[in-house]
Amino acid sequence: MIAAWGLLLAAALVDIAMAVALKHAEGWTRLWPSLAGLLFANGAIVLLTMALRQLPVGTAFAVFTGIGAAGAALVGIVVYGESATPLRLMLIAAIIASIAGLKLTNG
């Protein structure tokens, strides 16, 4: 079960890498970032699929998308200088707290 959670975390991190690559793809107009985005997307799906062998689909997908969303938002703030208002940070923290809650309640 621990391995499945590790695969799920890896899938979410690869999903964040996909978002960063697609940011640099500039609407599919740049070849290498576009290809990297597609490669990362496929990698995330493969890892998620492997994790789903042992994890419940609802919990796993919610955790996967939550980590991806919170991670991409944090990368946007740290790397790209996107808005870091207190409300936005609080909402990102709420996503992270929800992920932790789902992990803790997984039966």
Side-chain angles (χ1 to χ4, degrees), residues 72-98:
L74 291 172
V75 168
I77 290 168
V78 172
V79 176
Y80 300 109
E82 295 176 2
S83 171
T85 63
L87 178 59
R88 187 163 191 231
L89 294 173
M90 182 183 72
L91 293 170
I92 293 169
I95 292 171
I96 294 168
S98 297

Side-chain angles (χ1 to χ4, degrees), residues 20-99:
V20 171
L22 293 178
K23 167 84 172 157
H24 292 279
E26 296 177 8
W28 303 105
T29 62
R30 297 183 62 215
L31 177 64
W32 295 114
S34 297
L35 291 176
L38 291 171
L39 179 69
F40 288 134
N42 285 324
I45 297 288
V46 167
L47 291 166
L48 175 61
T49 301
M50 292 169 64
L52 287 173
R53 289 179 184 164
Q54 294 183 355
L55 300 175
V57 68
T59 300
F61 193 71
V63 169
F64 169 75
T65 57
I67 292 171
L74 291 172
V75 168
I77 290 168
V78 172
V79 176
Y80 300 109
E82 295 176 2
S83 171
T85 63
L87 178 59
R88 187 163 191 231
L89 294 173
M90 182 183 72
L91 293 170
I92 293 169
I95 292 171
I96 294 168
S98 297
I99 293 165

